[in-house]
Amino acid sequence: MTSSSSPSQDAKRLAHAYPEGFRADALMEEDDAWSYEIDGERDGDQFDRSERAALRRVAGLSTELEDVTEVEYRQLRLERVVLVGVWTTGTAQDAENSLAELAALAETAGALVLDGVIQRRDKPDAATYIGSGKAQELRDIVLDSGADTVICDGELSPGQLIQLEDVVKVKVIDRTALILDIFAQHAKSREGKAQVALAQMQYMLPRLRGWGQSLSRQMGGGRGGLATRGPGETKIETDRRRIREKMAKMRREIADMKTGREIKRQERRRHKVPSVAIAGYTNAGKSSLLNRLTGAGVLVENALFATLDPTVRRAETPSGRLYTLADTVGFVRHLPHHLVEAFRSTMEEVGDADLILHVVDGSHPNPEEQLAAVREVIRDVGATDVPEIVVINKADAADPLVLQRLLRVEKRSIAVSARTGRGIQQLLALIDNDLPRPSVEIEVLVPYTHGKLVARAHTEGEVISEEHTAEGTLLKVRVHEELAADLAPYAPVSAA
Protein backbone atom coordinates (compact mmCIF):
# COMPACT_ATOMS: atom_id res chain seq x y z
CA MET A 1 0.00 0.00 0.00
CA THR A 2 1.52 3.26 -1.10
CA SER A 3 1.25 6.38 0.98
CA SER A 4 0.15 9.60 -0.71
CA SER A 5 2.62 12.47 -0.67
CA SER A 6 1.69 15.99 0.47
CA PRO A 7 1.69 19.02 -1.90
CA SER A 8 4.84 20.39 -0.24
CA GLN A 9 6.70 17.11 -0.78
CA ASP A 10 5.63 17.13 -4.48
CA ALA A 11 6.98 20.65 -4.88
CA LYS A 12 10.34 19.66 -3.36
CA ARG A 13 10.51 16.62 -5.63
CA LEU A 14 9.86 18.78 -8.69
CA ALA A 15 12.44 21.32 -7.57
CA HIS A 16 15.14 18.60 -7.47
CA ALA A 17 13.98 16.90 -10.67
CA TYR A 18 13.85 20.01 -12.89
CA PRO A 19 16.19 23.00 -13.23
CA GLU A 20 14.94 26.45 -12.29
CA GLY A 21 14.01 27.43 -15.86
CA PHE A 22 11.78 24.41 -16.40
CA ARG A 23 9.96 24.44 -13.05
CA ALA A 24 6.91 26.40 -14.29
CA ASP A 25 6.60 24.15 -17.34
CA ALA A 26 6.73 21.08 -15.17
CA LEU A 27 3.95 22.44 -12.96
CA MET A 28 1.86 23.11 -16.05
CA GLU A 29 2.51 19.58 -17.32
CA GLU A 30 1.36 18.18 -14.01
CA ASP A 31 -1.86 20.25 -14.20
CA ASP A 32 -2.49 19.01 -17.73
CA ALA A 33 -1.92 15.37 -16.85
CA TRP A 34 -4.98 13.20 -17.26
CA SER A 35 -5.86 10.21 -15.07
CA TYR A 36 -8.83 7.87 -15.38
CA GLU A 37 -9.47 7.86 -11.60
CA ILE A 38 -9.83 11.65 -11.44
CA ASP A 39 -11.06 12.67 -14.90
CA GLY A 40 -12.87 9.61 -16.15
CA GLU A 41 -16.01 10.30 -14.15
CA ARG A 42 -16.47 13.95 -15.36
CA ASP A 43 -19.40 14.74 -17.63
CA GLY A 44 -18.84 16.46 -20.98
CA ASP A 45 -15.74 17.46 -22.87
CA GLN A 46 -12.87 18.84 -20.84
CA PHE A 47 -10.85 21.77 -22.30
CA ASP A 48 -7.33 22.93 -21.70
CA ARG A 49 -6.87 26.00 -19.56
CA SER A 50 -6.18 28.23 -22.58
CA GLU A 51 -9.33 26.97 -24.32
CA ARG A 52 -11.46 27.54 -21.24
CA ALA A 53 -10.27 31.17 -20.99
CA ALA A 54 -10.61 31.97 -24.72
CA LEU A 55 -13.57 33.62 -26.47
CA ARG A 56 -15.55 31.12 -28.52
CA ARG A 57 -17.61 32.00 -31.54
CA VAL A 58 -21.23 30.93 -31.65
CA ALA A 59 -22.20 29.59 -35.06
CA GLY A 60 -25.08 31.25 -36.90
CA LEU A 61 -24.84 34.70 -35.27
CA SER A 62 -22.55 36.45 -37.76
CA THR A 63 -24.22 38.98 -40.09
CA GLU A 64 -22.23 39.43 -43.28
CA LEU A 65 -18.62 39.32 -42.11
CA GLU A 66 -16.73 36.03 -41.95
CA ASP A 67 -13.70 37.74 -40.48
CA VAL A 68 -13.17 41.16 -38.94
CA THR A 69 -10.38 41.89 -41.45
CA GLU A 70 -13.05 42.04 -44.19
CA VAL A 71 -14.80 45.06 -42.68
CA GLU A 72 -13.61 47.48 -45.40
CA TYR A 73 -15.08 45.23 -48.09
CA ARG A 74 -18.47 44.96 -46.44
CA GLN A 75 -21.36 46.25 -48.54
CA LEU A 76 -23.60 48.79 -46.79
CA ARG A 77 -27.02 47.34 -46.14
CA LEU A 78 -29.72 49.94 -46.80
CA GLU A 79 -33.08 49.89 -45.12
CA ARG A 80 -35.54 48.16 -47.43
CA VAL A 81 -38.89 49.94 -47.58
CA VAL A 82 -42.35 49.65 -49.12
CA LEU A 83 -44.28 52.87 -49.79
CA VAL A 84 -48.02 53.22 -49.16
CA GLY A 85 -50.22 56.10 -50.28
CA VAL A 86 -53.92 56.92 -49.99
CA TRP A 87 -55.44 58.67 -53.01
CA THR A 88 -58.27 60.87 -51.74
CA THR A 89 -58.36 63.85 -54.12
CA GLY A 90 -57.01 64.80 -57.53
CA THR A 91 -56.10 62.52 -60.38
CA ALA A 92 -54.26 59.22 -60.40
CA GLN A 93 -51.22 61.05 -61.85
CA ASP A 94 -51.19 63.39 -58.85
CA ALA A 95 -51.20 60.42 -56.47
CA GLU A 96 -48.36 58.77 -58.39
CA ASN A 97 -46.34 62.00 -58.36
CA SER A 98 -46.80 62.25 -54.60
CA LEU A 99 -45.59 58.68 -54.13
CA ALA A 100 -42.64 59.34 -56.46
CA GLU A 101 -41.67 62.29 -54.28
CA LEU A 102 -41.95 60.05 -51.21
CA ALA A 103 -39.60 57.60 -52.94
CA ALA A 104 -37.10 60.43 -53.53
CA LEU A 105 -37.34 61.38 -49.86
CA ALA A 106 -36.75 57.75 -48.83
CA GLU A 107 -33.69 57.50 -51.06
CA THR A 108 -32.36 60.76 -49.66
CA ALA A 109 -32.74 59.30 -46.16
CA GLY A 110 -30.69 56.25 -47.22
CA ALA A 111 -33.38 53.65 -47.91
CA LEU A 112 -33.86 51.20 -50.75
CA VAL A 113 -37.39 51.40 -52.18
CA LEU A 114 -38.68 47.96 -53.13
CA ASP A 115 -42.32 48.65 -53.96
CA GLY A 116 -45.05 51.27 -53.78
CA VAL A 117 -48.82 50.89 -53.61
CA ILE A 118 -51.73 53.37 -53.69
CA GLN A 119 -55.26 52.85 -52.41
CA ARG A 120 -58.28 54.86 -53.55
CA ARG A 121 -60.36 56.00 -50.57
CA ASP A 122 -62.56 58.91 -49.60
CA LYS A 123 -60.41 59.45 -46.51
CA PRO A 124 -57.71 57.49 -44.68
CA ASP A 125 -58.96 54.73 -42.38
CA ALA A 126 -59.07 55.89 -38.77
CA ALA A 127 -57.62 52.61 -37.47
CA THR A 128 -54.98 51.35 -39.91
CA TYR A 129 -54.75 54.19 -42.50
CA ILE A 130 -55.58 51.84 -45.39
CA GLY A 131 -58.20 49.54 -43.84
CA SER A 132 -57.86 46.10 -42.27
CA GLY A 133 -58.19 44.13 -45.52
CA LYS A 134 -55.64 46.21 -47.41
CA ALA A 135 -53.34 46.04 -44.38
CA GLN A 136 -53.31 42.23 -44.73
CA GLU A 137 -52.49 42.60 -48.43
CA LEU A 138 -49.69 44.98 -47.48
CA ARG A 139 -48.40 42.32 -45.07
CA ASP A 140 -48.15 39.86 -47.98
CA ILE A 141 -46.26 42.44 -50.08
CA VAL A 142 -43.82 43.02 -47.22
CA LEU A 143 -43.22 39.28 -46.85
CA ASP A 144 -42.71 38.73 -50.59
CA SER A 145 -40.31 41.68 -51.00
CA GLY A 146 -38.37 41.13 -47.77
CA ALA A 147 -38.90 44.72 -46.63
CA ASP A 148 -38.21 45.78 -43.06
CA THR A 149 -40.03 49.16 -43.06
CA VAL A 150 -43.29 50.60 -44.36
CA ILE A 151 -43.49 54.35 -45.11
CA CYS A 152 -46.92 55.97 -45.36
CA ASP A 153 -47.46 59.06 -47.53
CA GLY A 154 -49.16 61.12 -44.84
CA GLU A 155 -49.02 61.94 -41.16
CA LEU A 156 -50.36 59.05 -39.09
CA SER A 157 -51.85 59.28 -35.64
CA PRO A 158 -50.22 57.28 -32.82
CA GLY A 159 -53.09 54.79 -32.93
CA GLN A 160 -52.74 54.27 -36.69
CA LEU A 161 -49.01 53.63 -36.35
CA ILE A 162 -49.49 51.02 -33.61
CA GLN A 163 -52.36 49.17 -35.28
CA LEU A 164 -50.73 49.09 -38.72
CA GLU A 165 -47.52 47.76 -37.17
CA ASP A 166 -49.51 45.04 -35.43
CA VAL A 167 -50.77 43.84 -38.82
CA VAL A 168 -47.70 44.16 -41.07
CA LYS A 169 -45.26 43.06 -38.31
CA VAL A 170 -42.52 45.51 -39.39
CA LYS A 171 -41.64 49.08 -38.49
CA VAL A 172 -44.07 51.72 -39.80
CA ILE A 173 -43.20 55.41 -40.16
CA ASP A 174 -45.01 58.29 -41.83
CA ARG A 175 -43.97 61.11 -44.13
CA THR A 176 -43.34 63.50 -41.23
CA ALA A 177 -40.92 61.13 -39.49
CA LEU A 178 -39.08 60.59 -42.78
CA ILE A 179 -38.61 64.33 -43.38
CA LEU A 180 -37.46 64.81 -39.79
CA ASP A 181 -34.88 62.06 -40.29
CA ILE A 182 -33.56 63.78 -43.43
CA PHE A 183 -33.34 67.10 -41.61
CA ALA A 184 -31.45 65.43 -38.75
CA GLN A 185 -28.91 64.01 -41.23
CA HIS A 186 -28.34 67.28 -43.11
CA ALA A 187 -28.35 69.87 -40.31
CA LYS A 188 -24.81 71.14 -39.81
CA SER A 189 -24.96 74.39 -37.82
CA ARG A 190 -25.71 74.57 -34.12
CA GLU A 191 -28.96 76.38 -34.74
CA GLY A 192 -30.07 73.92 -37.42
CA LYS A 193 -29.41 70.95 -35.15
CA ALA A 194 -31.34 72.59 -32.31
CA GLN A 195 -34.30 73.35 -34.57
CA VAL A 196 -34.41 69.77 -35.84
CA ALA A 197 -34.13 68.35 -32.32
CA LEU A 198 -37.05 70.53 -31.19
CA ALA A 199 -39.19 69.39 -34.13
CA GLN A 200 -38.35 65.74 -33.42
CA MET A 201 -39.36 66.07 -29.77
CA GLN A 202 -42.62 67.79 -30.73
CA TYR A 203 -43.37 64.90 -33.06
CA MET A 204 -42.32 62.21 -30.59
CA LEU A 205 -44.18 63.54 -27.54
CA PRO A 206 -47.68 62.21 -28.38
CA ARG A 207 -46.22 59.00 -29.84
CA LEU A 208 -44.39 57.68 -26.79
CA ARG A 209 -45.34 54.11 -26.00
CA GLY A 210 -45.53 52.40 -22.64
CA TRP A 211 -43.96 49.05 -21.84
CA GLY A 212 -46.81 47.30 -20.03
CA GLN A 213 -47.16 47.26 -16.26
CA SER A 214 -43.49 46.54 -15.56
CA LEU A 215 -42.03 49.57 -13.80
CA SER A 216 -45.12 51.45 -14.88
CA ARG A 217 -45.47 53.58 -11.76
CA GLN A 218 -43.13 55.29 -9.39
CA MET A 219 -44.03 55.14 -5.73
CA GLY A 220 -45.54 58.25 -4.24
CA GLY A 221 -45.04 59.59 -0.75
CA GLY A 222 -43.32 62.53 0.87
CA ARG A 223 -40.11 62.59 2.83
CA GLY A 224 -40.45 59.04 4.01
CA GLY A 225 -42.99 56.43 5.07
CA LEU A 226 -44.51 53.69 3.01
CA ALA A 227 -45.85 55.57 -0.01
CA THR A 228 -48.92 56.74 1.82
CA ARG A 229 -49.98 58.95 -1.10
CA GLY A 230 -50.54 56.05 -3.46
CA PRO A 231 -49.09 55.40 -6.92
CA GLY A 232 -47.18 58.28 -8.48
CA GLU A 233 -46.27 59.06 -12.08
CA THR A 234 -46.29 56.32 -14.63
CA LYS A 235 -43.07 55.73 -16.56
CA ILE A 236 -44.54 57.24 -19.74
CA GLU A 237 -45.65 60.34 -17.82
CA THR A 238 -42.12 60.75 -16.51
CA ASP A 239 -40.73 60.47 -20.05
CA ARG A 240 -43.20 63.05 -21.32
CA ARG A 241 -42.32 65.44 -18.53
CA ARG A 242 -38.62 65.14 -19.30
CA ILE A 243 -39.24 65.74 -23.00
CA ARG A 244 -41.27 68.87 -22.19
CA GLU A 245 -38.41 70.13 -20.03
CA LYS A 246 -35.93 69.51 -22.87
CA MET A 247 -38.24 71.26 -25.34
CA ALA A 248 -38.46 74.31 -23.08
CA LYS A 249 -34.67 74.40 -22.81
CA MET A 250 -34.30 74.02 -26.57
CA ARG A 251 -36.73 76.88 -27.23
CA ARG A 252 -34.69 79.14 -24.96
CA GLU A 253 -31.48 78.23 -26.80
CA ILE A 254 -33.07 78.89 -30.19
CA ALA A 255 -34.41 82.22 -28.93
CA ASP A 256 -30.87 83.18 -27.83
CA MET A 257 -29.48 82.23 -31.24
CA LYS A 258 -32.29 84.18 -32.89
CA THR A 259 -31.12 87.29 -31.03
CA GLY A 260 -27.73 87.17 -32.73
CA ARG A 261 -29.29 86.90 -36.18
CA GLU A 262 -31.73 89.70 -35.35
CA ILE A 263 -28.82 91.97 -34.43
CA LYS A 264 -27.24 91.33 -37.84
CA ARG A 265 -30.57 91.99 -39.51
CA GLN A 266 -30.98 95.29 -37.63
CA GLU A 267 -27.49 96.30 -38.72
CA ARG A 268 -28.47 95.76 -42.34
CA ARG A 269 -31.66 97.75 -41.79
CA ARG A 270 -29.70 100.56 -40.17
CA HIS A 271 -27.50 100.82 -43.23
CA LYS A 272 -30.60 100.54 -45.45
CA VAL A 273 -29.22 97.52 -47.32
CA PRO A 274 -32.05 95.86 -49.29
CA SER A 275 -32.49 92.13 -48.81
CA VAL A 276 -33.56 89.44 -51.26
CA ALA A 277 -34.65 85.97 -50.10
CA ILE A 278 -34.47 82.86 -52.28
CA ALA A 279 -37.41 80.58 -51.51
CA GLY A 280 -38.69 77.55 -53.31
CA TYR A 281 -39.36 73.86 -53.44
CA THR A 282 -36.62 71.50 -52.33
CA ASN A 283 -34.19 70.52 -55.10
CA ALA A 284 -35.44 73.36 -57.32
CA GLY A 285 -31.91 74.81 -57.58
CA LYS A 286 -31.89 77.56 -54.94
CA SER A 287 -28.29 76.98 -53.84
CA SER A 288 -27.15 76.75 -57.47
CA LEU A 289 -28.81 80.10 -58.18
CA LEU A 290 -27.16 81.65 -55.11
CA ASN A 291 -23.76 80.39 -56.28
CA ARG A 292 -24.40 81.74 -59.78
CA LEU A 293 -25.42 85.20 -58.51
CA THR A 294 -22.82 85.63 -55.77
CA GLY A 295 -20.20 82.88 -56.04
CA ALA A 296 -21.07 81.77 -52.51
CA GLY A 297 -19.77 78.21 -52.93
CA VAL A 298 -22.74 76.62 -51.15
CA LEU A 299 -23.12 72.83 -51.36
CA VAL A 300 -25.03 71.80 -54.48
CA GLU A 301 -26.38 68.25 -54.71
CA ASN A 302 -29.15 66.54 -56.63
CA ALA A 303 -30.97 65.54 -53.45
CA LEU A 304 -33.91 66.75 -51.41
CA PHE A 305 -33.01 69.08 -48.52
CA ALA A 306 -29.29 68.97 -49.35
CA THR A 307 -28.78 72.31 -47.56
CA LEU A 308 -30.73 73.36 -44.48
CA ASP A 309 -28.69 76.14 -42.92
CA PRO A 310 -29.54 79.62 -44.27
CA THR A 311 -26.75 81.42 -46.11
CA VAL A 312 -26.61 85.21 -46.51
CA ARG A 313 -24.25 86.77 -49.05
CA ARG A 314 -23.66 90.32 -50.28
CA ALA A 315 -24.39 91.00 -53.93
CA GLU A 316 -24.41 93.99 -56.27
CA THR A 317 -26.88 95.00 -58.95
CA PRO A 318 -25.73 96.01 -62.46
CA SER A 319 -26.20 99.66 -61.45
CA GLY A 320 -23.90 99.25 -58.44
CA ARG A 321 -26.49 98.98 -55.65
CA LEU A 322 -25.58 96.65 -52.79
CA TYR A 323 -28.07 94.12 -51.43
CA THR A 324 -28.05 90.85 -49.48
CA LEU A 325 -29.14 87.51 -50.92
CA ALA A 326 -30.37 84.84 -48.47
CA ASP A 327 -30.77 81.15 -49.31
CA THR A 328 -33.51 79.57 -47.18
CA VAL A 329 -34.51 76.01 -46.38
CA GLY A 330 -36.41 74.20 -49.10
CA PHE A 331 -40.13 73.56 -48.84
CA VAL A 332 -42.11 70.46 -49.70
CA ARG A 333 -45.76 69.47 -49.94
CA HIS A 334 -47.32 68.74 -46.56
CA LEU A 335 -44.32 70.21 -44.77
CA PRO A 336 -44.76 69.13 -41.12
CA HIS A 337 -46.06 71.86 -38.86
CA HIS A 338 -43.38 70.88 -36.33
CA LEU A 339 -40.75 71.95 -38.84
CA VAL A 340 -42.56 75.16 -39.74
CA GLU A 341 -42.63 76.10 -36.07
CA ALA A 342 -39.05 75.01 -35.34
CA PHE A 343 -37.64 76.76 -38.43
CA ARG A 344 -39.81 79.85 -38.04
CA SER A 345 -36.82 81.92 -36.91
CA THR A 346 -34.94 80.83 -40.05
CA MET A 347 -37.92 81.46 -42.31
CA GLU A 348 -38.18 85.00 -40.95
CA GLU A 349 -35.53 85.83 -43.56
CA VAL A 350 -38.34 85.46 -46.09
CA GLY A 351 -40.79 87.61 -44.11
CA ASP A 352 -38.27 90.42 -43.59
CA ALA A 353 -37.02 90.48 -47.18
CA ASP A 354 -37.70 93.30 -49.61
CA LEU A 355 -38.02 90.85 -52.50
CA ILE A 356 -38.57 87.10 -52.84
CA LEU A 357 -37.05 85.05 -55.65
CA HIS A 358 -39.48 82.14 -55.84
CA VAL A 359 -37.48 79.36 -57.53
CA VAL A 360 -39.42 76.56 -59.22
CA ASP A 361 -38.10 73.50 -61.07
CA GLY A 362 -39.16 73.92 -64.70
CA SER A 363 -38.34 70.29 -65.48
CA HIS A 364 -40.68 68.94 -62.77
CA PRO A 365 -43.79 67.05 -63.98
CA ASN A 366 -46.08 69.41 -62.08
CA PRO A 367 -44.39 72.76 -61.34
CA GLU A 368 -47.72 74.47 -60.56
CA GLU A 369 -48.13 72.19 -57.57
CA GLN A 370 -44.69 73.20 -56.33
CA LEU A 371 -45.63 76.87 -56.63
CA ALA A 372 -48.81 76.30 -54.60
CA ALA A 373 -46.99 74.35 -51.86
CA VAL A 374 -44.32 77.04 -51.42
CA ARG A 375 -46.85 79.85 -51.36
CA GLU A 376 -48.76 78.05 -48.64
CA VAL A 377 -45.66 78.04 -46.42
CA ILE A 378 -44.92 81.69 -47.33
CA ARG A 379 -48.44 82.51 -46.19
CA ASP A 380 -47.83 80.63 -42.91
CA VAL A 381 -44.77 82.78 -42.10
CA GLY A 382 -46.64 86.01 -42.93
CA ALA A 383 -44.75 87.06 -46.07
CA THR A 384 -47.65 87.44 -48.48
CA ASP A 385 -47.08 91.20 -48.86
CA VAL A 386 -43.45 90.85 -50.03
CA PRO A 387 -42.99 91.34 -53.81
CA GLU A 388 -42.21 88.12 -55.66
CA ILE A 389 -40.37 87.15 -58.83
CA VAL A 390 -40.97 83.60 -60.04
CA VAL A 391 -37.66 82.18 -61.27
CA ILE A 392 -38.25 79.12 -63.47
CA ASN A 393 -34.96 77.26 -63.08
CA LYS A 394 -33.51 74.36 -65.12
CA ALA A 395 -34.80 75.94 -68.33
CA ASP A 396 -32.17 73.98 -70.28
CA ALA A 397 -33.84 70.69 -69.25
CA ALA A 398 -37.48 71.81 -69.21
CA ASP A 399 -40.14 71.23 -71.83
CA PRO A 400 -40.51 74.43 -73.92
CA LEU A 401 -44.29 74.12 -73.76
CA VAL A 402 -44.17 73.99 -69.96
CA LEU A 403 -41.95 77.08 -69.89
CA GLN A 404 -44.36 78.97 -72.13
CA ARG A 405 -47.29 77.97 -69.96
CA LEU A 406 -45.60 79.10 -66.76
CA LEU A 407 -44.40 82.38 -68.28
CA ARG A 408 -47.93 83.07 -69.49
CA VAL A 409 -49.63 82.25 -66.16
CA GLU A 410 -47.05 83.91 -63.88
CA LYS A 411 -46.92 87.58 -64.90
CA ARG A 412 -43.74 88.37 -62.94
CA SER A 413 -41.58 85.44 -64.01
CA ILE A 414 -38.38 84.65 -65.89
CA ALA A 415 -36.83 81.42 -67.20
CA VAL A 416 -33.19 80.84 -66.22
CA SER A 417 -30.64 78.07 -65.95
CA ALA A 418 -28.32 78.27 -62.97
CA ARG A 419 -26.14 75.58 -64.52
CA THR A 420 -25.54 77.25 -67.91
CA GLY A 421 -26.10 80.90 -66.94
CA ARG A 422 -29.03 81.42 -69.29
CA GLY A 423 -31.22 84.36 -68.25
CA ILE A 424 -29.04 85.38 -65.29
CA GLN A 425 -28.33 88.89 -66.60
CA GLN A 426 -32.03 89.48 -67.21
CA LEU A 427 -32.75 88.28 -63.68
CA LEU A 428 -30.20 90.72 -62.24
CA ALA A 429 -31.87 93.53 -64.16
CA LEU A 430 -35.26 92.53 -62.72
CA ILE A 431 -33.80 92.51 -59.19
CA ASP A 432 -32.30 95.95 -59.75
CA ASN A 433 -35.63 97.28 -60.97
CA ASP A 434 -37.77 95.72 -58.21
CA LEU A 435 -35.61 96.48 -55.18
CA PRO A 436 -36.98 99.39 -53.13
CA ARG A 437 -35.36 102.66 -54.03
CA PRO A 438 -34.52 105.52 -51.65
CA SER A 439 -37.35 107.98 -51.34
CA VAL A 440 -35.50 111.33 -51.32
CA GLU A 441 -33.70 112.78 -54.34
CA ILE A 442 -31.21 115.50 -53.47
CA GLU A 443 -28.37 117.46 -55.09
CA VAL A 444 -25.48 118.55 -52.86
CA LEU A 445 -21.92 119.82 -52.98
CA VAL A 446 -19.98 117.85 -50.36
CA PRO A 447 -16.58 119.28 -49.32
CA TYR A 448 -13.62 116.97 -49.71
CA THR A 449 -13.18 117.03 -45.93
CA HIS A 450 -16.46 115.09 -45.59
CA GLY A 451 -15.62 112.16 -47.80
CA LYS A 452 -17.51 109.77 -45.47
CA LEU A 453 -20.80 111.27 -46.63
CA VAL A 454 -19.88 110.56 -50.25
CA ALA A 455 -19.03 106.98 -49.32
CA ARG A 456 -22.37 106.60 -47.51
CA ALA A 457 -24.17 107.98 -50.54
CA HIS A 458 -22.59 105.25 -52.67
CA THR A 459 -23.24 102.51 -50.10
CA GLU A 460 -26.71 103.39 -48.83
CA GLY A 461 -28.16 105.36 -51.74
CA GLU A 462 -28.30 105.49 -55.49
CA VAL A 463 -25.90 107.91 -57.16
CA ILE A 464 -27.46 109.51 -60.25
CA SER A 465 -24.51 111.73 -61.14
CA GLU A 466 -21.17 112.64 -59.60
CA GLU A 467 -18.74 115.44 -60.49
CA HIS A 468 -15.55 116.56 -58.78
CA THR A 469 -15.20 120.36 -58.63
CA ALA A 470 -12.79 122.76 -57.00
CA GLU A 471 -15.08 123.19 -53.97
CA GLY A 472 -15.96 119.51 -53.46
CA THR A 473 -17.92 116.58 -54.88
CA LEU A 474 -21.11 117.53 -56.69
CA LEU A 475 -23.60 114.74 -56.13
CA LYS A 476 -27.08 114.07 -57.37
CA VAL A 477 -28.32 111.11 -55.37
CA ARG A 478 -31.44 109.31 -54.26
CA VAL A 479 -31.15 108.43 -50.56
CA HIS A 480 -33.27 107.54 -47.55
CA GLU A 481 -34.54 110.16 -45.13
CA GLU A 482 -31.84 109.71 -42.50
CA LEU A 483 -28.99 110.24 -44.92
CA ALA A 484 -30.89 113.08 -46.61
CA ALA A 485 -30.94 114.90 -43.27
CA ASP A 486 -27.15 114.53 -42.96
CA LEU A 487 -26.64 115.82 -46.51
CA ALA A 488 -29.12 118.69 -46.19
CA PRO A 489 -26.56 121.28 -44.85
CA TYR A 490 -24.69 121.04 -48.19
CA ALA A 491 -27.73 121.88 -50.32
CA PRO A 492 -28.71 123.87 -52.32
CA VAL A 493 -25.57 124.25 -54.38
CA SER A 494 -24.03 127.73 -54.17
CA ALA A 495 -23.84 129.85 -57.29
CA ALA A 496 -20.08 129.92 -57.05
Side-chain angles (χ1 to χ4, degrees):
M1 184 174 182
T2 59
S3 60
S4 60
S5 60
S6 64
S8 60
Q9 291 173 344
D10 294 338
K12 292 178 181 179
R13 177 173 54 82
L14 289 169
H16 289 292
Y18 296 98
E20 183 69 26
F22 297 97
R23 190 174 302 167
D25 295 337
L27 289 172
M28 182 64 70
E29 291 174 2
E30 185 183 40
D31 287 344
D32 292 343
W34 185 90
S35 65
Y36 179 81
E37 292 83 2
I38 299 175
D39 299 321
E41 300 298 325
R42 293 180 180 174
D43 56 338
D45 296 333
Q46 305 302 311
F47 298 97
D48 292 339
R49 177 179 298 174
S50 59
E51 294 183 17
R52 292 199 305 269
L55 291 173
R56 285 175 288 159
R57 287 184 173 176
V58 180
L61 292 187
S62 64
T63 54
E64 295 178 357
L65 294 180
E66 295 182 1
D67 191 85
V68 71
T69 57
E70 299 176 8
V71 66
E72 60 183 272
Y73 304 108
R74 180 176 183 174
Q75 183 178 6
L76 178 65
R77 175 177 169 82
L78 299 177
E79 200 164 3
R80 302 161 66 86
V81 302
V82 171
L83 310 179
V84 181
V86 173
W87 170 22
T88 56
T89 59
T91 63
Q93 185 63 42
D94 295 336
E96 291 177 3
N97 289 340
S98 180
L99 206 66
E101 182 178 273
L102 186 67
L105 288 169
E107 291 173 0
T108 302
L112 179 64
V113 179
L114 301 179
D115 206 347
V117 293
I118 299 174
Q119 186 197 11
R120 183 72 169 97
R121 295 179 64 95
D122 293 334
K123 61 179 180 179
D125 184 68
T128 59
Y129 183 65
I130 55 175
S132 57
K134 289 294 185 272
Q136 291 292 343
E137 293 181 21
L138 178 61
R139 169 63 178 165
D140 296 336
I141 295 174
V142 169
L143 286 174
D144 293 341
S145 61
D148 48 33
T149 304
V150 171
I151 304 179
C152 298
D153 191 15
E155 185 167 345
L156 273 62
S157 67
Q160 287 174 324
L161 283 172
I162 294 173
Q163 296 188 53
L164 190 56
E165 278 187 355
D166 289 342
V167 177
V168 299
K169 305 301 182 185
V170 295
K171 180 174 66 175
V172 177
I173 64 174
D174 57 13
R175 184 188 182 93
T176 301
L178 179 61
I179 294 176
L180 286 172
D181 181 69
I182 296 172
F183 271 56
Q185 292 180 35
H186 291 177
K188 296 294 185 291
S189 66
R190 178 168 169 260
E191 183 174 9
K193 291 179 180 178
Q195 289 169 330
V196 173
L198 176 60
Q200 286 178 321
M201 286 187 285
Q202 287 177 321
Y203 173 80
M204 184 173 57
L205 184 60
R207 291 170 174 81
L208 289 178
R209 303 184 188 180
W211 293 94
Q213 296 300 318
S214 176
L215 298 177
S216 63
R217 286 188 181 272
Q218 297 178 351
M219 297 303 292
R223 300 178 180 176
L226 299 176
T228 56
R229 297 183 186 176
E233 288 180 306
T234 61
K235 180 66 168 60
I236 195 169
E237 288 171 348
T238 305
D239 293 340
R240 285 173 178 164
R241 175 169 51 82
R242 289 175 177 171
I243 287 180
R244 291 190 185 98
E245 291 172 355
K246 288 182 180 179
M247 288 171 58
K249 179 181 178 182
M250 202 70 69
R251 288 192 179 98
R252 290 194 295 269
E253 291 179 359
I254 292 175
D256 292 340
M257 289 182 276
K258 176 185 175 182
T259 303
R261 192 173 55 254
E262 182 63 28
I263 291 175
K264 295 179 182 177
R265 196 178 295 137
Q266 288 178 357
E267 187 71 11
R268 294 198 297 267
R269 289 198 201 104
R270 188 172 68 84
H271 290 290
K272 305 298 181 182
V273 179
S275 61
V276 178
I278 302 178
Y281 213 77
T282 180
N283 206 31
K286 299 183 298 300
S287 298
S288 300
L289 184 63
L290 177 70
N291 291 342
R292 174 64 69 172
L293 293 176
T294 66
V298 178
L299 170 68
V300 173
E301 187 177 350
N302 186 22
L304 306 185
F305 301 113
T307 51
L308 295 182
D309 303 319
T311 304
V312 181
R313 292 290 184 269
R314 174 176 289 191
E316 188 174 336
T317 64
S319 64
R321 300 172 60 198
L322 293 177
Y323 66 98
T324 59
L325 200 61
D327 181 19
T328 61
V329 63
F331 303 145
V332 72
R333 280 181 302 177
H334 313 300
L335 189 68
H337 292 288
H338 314 296
L339 284 174
V340 175
E341 288 298 322
F343 280 80
R344 183 171 294 276
S345 57
T346 301
M347 294 177 181
E348 286 175 357
E349 294 288 349
V350 178
D352 290 341
D354 297 303
L355 180 65
I356 296 176
L357 298 184
H358 185 166
V359 183
V360 61
D361 184 358
S363 62
H364 191 269
N366 195 347
E368 289 87 356
E369 193 169 317
Q370 288 192 353
L371 287 167
V374 174
R375 282 169 176 160
E376 182 179 352
V377 180
I378 290 176
R379 184 171 59 252
D380 290 341
V381 298
T384 54
D385 296 333
V386 182
E388 174 191 67
I389 297 176
V390 176
V391 181
I392 308 168
N393 195 21
K394 305 182 184 180
D396 54 323
D399 186 349
L401 296 178
V402 175
L403 289 180
Q404 293 177 11
R405 186 179 74 236
L406 289 174
L407 291 171
R408 185 174 62 252
V409 173
E410 299 293 336
K411 301 304 180 184
R412 294 170 50 81
S413 60
I414 183 173
V416 304
S417 173
R419 186 177 67 88
T420 64
R422 167 185 169 183
I424 296 298
Q425 294 302 322
Q426 293 85 342
L427 176 60
L428 288 172
L430 276 178
I431 295 173
D432 194 359
N433 184 65
D434 288 358
L435 281 178
R437 296 182 176 276
S439 56
V440 180
E441 185 175 325
I442 188 172
E443 187 174 356
V444 292
L445 180 62
V446 182
Y448 290 119
T449 55
H450 292 75
K452 288 185 178 180
L453 286 176
V454 178
R456 285 184 60 190
H458 280 276
T459 304
E460 304 175 21
E462 182 179 352
V463 177
I464 302 173
S465 64
E466 181 178 13
E467 181 184 351
H468 298 288
T469 65
E471 293 81 11
T473 304
L474 180 62
L475 284 176
K476 185 176 182 181
V477 294
R478 188 178 290 112
V479 295
H480 53 83
E481 295 180 357
E482 182 180 348
L483 182 54
D486 295 337
L487 291 172
Y490 306 101
V493 182
S494 61

